[in-house]
């Protein structure tokens, strides 16, 4: 594995950054996770766009232009000769002093890791998974806008641990008002009256690239999507439920806090979306 750091490739064991990097000291930075299917970085332009928007929102200047970033990522994929895998693209505030003042960081650090993806077993897609509603709440959007994909994932990590403690693979997080936001690293959808419903990003969700793709696929088969307000009651009484994300793709959810969703099996709309999603990904 060759890891890109600030213009150079390093072997995995030599890929190191400073302990004074504010990404490490304060979680001061942004990132993206991108899939490689058939040797191609999937939805690369969308991921680059979101990275630059996240960076702009936190006043972080990325030392490469978007086009150069794209070329650099493609070069990292080619250098690692990956046909199927995962790209972790990270931009931190860079090396600075021990104080939080970002003015001490003279240049952002850009890291590109091209590795493997840890996939859910296929049986999860066939049977669906059980999830819980975490006690840990999503960071409110009026503290840090949750559309910023920042290096601060501590509350998501706490929720993930709650899921594991409950014997589940995932947890859904509520915002401080008690409305549904998203899972720890995936968006969440329910099906109601044949339409797709997903929490509006102002409730505290990342604007997922997979979520957008699923909305687009649904539109092509005449299924409406509403970005709306959902409570735990809406989850429990959904006809179908699934999560979307770069890693999980479309994962059916069949039980939430012990409540069986629909008939306890992945629903027909979810199954249809999975088939169409896989066709689309493989045809790229
Ligand atoms: N929410 C959070 C908190 C995430 O980290 C992610 C990315 N894994 C998602 C949702 C899904 O976004 P995407 O479809 O762009 O991967």
């Amino acid at each position: 594995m060759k890891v890109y750091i600030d213009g150079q490739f390093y072997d995995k064991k030599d890929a190191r950054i400073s302990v004074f990097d504010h990404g490490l000291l304060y979680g001061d930075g942004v990132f993206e996770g991108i899939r490689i299917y058939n040797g191609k970085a999937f939805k690369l332009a969308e991921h680059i766009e979101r990275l630059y928007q996240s960076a702009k929102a936190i006043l972080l200047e990325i030392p490469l232009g978007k086009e150069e970033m794209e070329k650099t990522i493609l070069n990292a994929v080619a250098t690692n000769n990956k046909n199927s895998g995962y790209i972790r693209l990270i931009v931190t505030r860079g090396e600075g002093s021990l104080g939080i003042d970002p003015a001490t960081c003279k240049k952002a650090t850009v890291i590109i890791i091209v590795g493997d993806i840890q996939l859910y077993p296929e049986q999860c897609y066939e049977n669906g998974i059980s999830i819980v509603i975490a006690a840990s709440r999503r960071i409110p959007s009026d503290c840090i806008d949750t559309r910023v994909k920042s290096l601060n994932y501590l509350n998501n990590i706490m929720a993930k641990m709650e899921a594991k403690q409950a014997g589940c693979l995932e947890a859904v997080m509520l915002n401080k008002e008690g409305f549904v936001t998203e899972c720890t690293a995936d968006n969440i959808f329910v099906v109601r009256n044949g339409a797709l419903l997903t929490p509006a990003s102002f409730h505290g969700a990342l604007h997922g690239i997979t979520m957008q793709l699923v909305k687009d696929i649904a539109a092509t088969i005449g299924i409406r999507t509403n970005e709306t307000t959902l409570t735990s009651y809406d989850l429990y009484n959904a006809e179908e439920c699934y999560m979307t994300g770069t890693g999980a793709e479309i994962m059916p959810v069949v039980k939430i806090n012990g409540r069986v969703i629909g008939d306890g099996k992945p629903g027909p709309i979810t199954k249809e979306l999975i088939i169409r999603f896989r066709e689309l990904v493989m045809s790229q």
Side-chain angles (χ1 to χ4, degrees):
M1 178 195 278
K2 296 279 183 200
V3 179
Y4 172 97
I5 307 174
D6 290 337
Q8 282 191 49
F9 284 99
Y10 299 87
D11 285 334
K12 184 178 171 183
K13 64 175 179 18
D14 301 320
R16 304 254 187 273
I17 59 161
S18 165
V19 293
F20 295 97
D21 194 296
H22 279 212
L24 171 69
L25 290 175
Y26 299 113
D28 187 354
V30 293
F31 77 102
E32 283 296 321
I34 308 163
R35 282 292 276 272
I36 306 168
Y37 295 106
N38 296 332
K40 288 195 190 131
F42 189 62
K43 297 279 167 195
L44 183 56
E46 287 82 349
H47 283 284
I48 290 176
E49 196 54 39
R50 188 170 66 186
L51 182 85
Y52 280 76
Q53 287 177 350
S54 293
K56 186 168 190 182
I58 68 163
L59 224 81
L60 169 63
E61 196 176 326
I62 300 180
L64 312 175
K66 287 183 201 170
E67 266 178 38
E68 207 184 342
M69 179 64 88
E70 183 177 340
K71 279 192 200 139
T72 308
I73 295 167
L74 294 176
N75 184 25
V77 174
T79 303
N80 284 279
N81 199 18
K82 277 271 171 206
N83 192 47
S84 156
Y86 179 80
I87 306 162
R88 175 55 60 92
L89 170 61
I90 307 155
V91 183
T92 77
R93 189 77 64 179
E95 189 178 341
S97 71
L98 285 179
I100 69 164
D101 185 357
T104 67
C105 305
K106 295 299 170 219
K107 189 163 174 267
T109 304
V110 179
I111 302 166
I112 305 169
I113 306 168
V114 180
D116 294 316
I117 175 120
Q118 214 188 329
L119 296 169
Y120 280 102
E122 182 56 28
Q123 75 200 50
C124 291
Y125 294 92
E126 281 161 22
N127 304 330
I129 62 167
S130 298
I131 66 172
V132 286
I133 299 176
S136 303
R137 298 288 171 112
R138 187 76 169 95
I139 286 180
S141 271
D142 49 1
C143 292
I144 174 98
D145 196 306
T146 48
R147 286 172 293 184
V148 175
K149 196 162 164 57
S150 86
L151 293 178
N152 288 267
Y153 261 56
L154 200 48
N155 66 327
N156 301 44
I157 292 166
M158 303 305 287
K160 185 81 174 178
M161 288 196 289
E162 288 184 48
K164 290 292 184 70
Q165 279 166 358
C168 292
L169 295 175
E170 253 309 329
V172 60
M173 306 177 76
L174 307 178
N175 64 16
K176 67 184 196 311
E177 289 82 27
F179 297 124
V180 176
T181 63
E182 58 182 346
C183 294
T184 65
D186 298 293
N187 292 106
I188 191 159
F189 284 74
V190 296
V191 177
R192 191 163 72 198
N193 299 328
L196 310 183
L197 307 179
T198 191
S201 50
F202 64 79
H203 283 308
L206 182 78
H207 193 88
I209 286 161
T210 320
M211 169 184 116
Q212 185 58 49
L213 180 59
V214 167
K215 284 166 62 177
D216 295 345
I217 294 172
T220 64
I221 50 175
I223 298 175
R224 275 181 303 115
T225 307
N226 285 331
E227 291 197 13
T228 184
T229 302
L230 297 173
T231 65
S232 49
Y233 174 93
D234 299 307
L235 297 183
Y236 300 151
N237 288 293
E239 290 154 22
E240 302 180 30
C241 180
Y242 60 87
M243 322 181 308
T244 63
T246 293
E249 300 176 328
I250 302 173
M251 174 59 70
V253 173
V254 292
K255 208 184 242 188
I256 305 173
N257 278 8
R259 278 81 162 176
V260 173
I261 307 306
D263 63 0
K265 297 196 192 90
I269 292 182
T270 307
K271 286 205 262 190
E272 174 82 20
L273 291 171
I274 292 175
I275 291 169
R276 286 179 184 265
F277 178 86
R278 288 185 174 174
E279 278 171 4
L280 200 143
V281 155
M282 285 308 146
S283 70
Q284 81 143 359

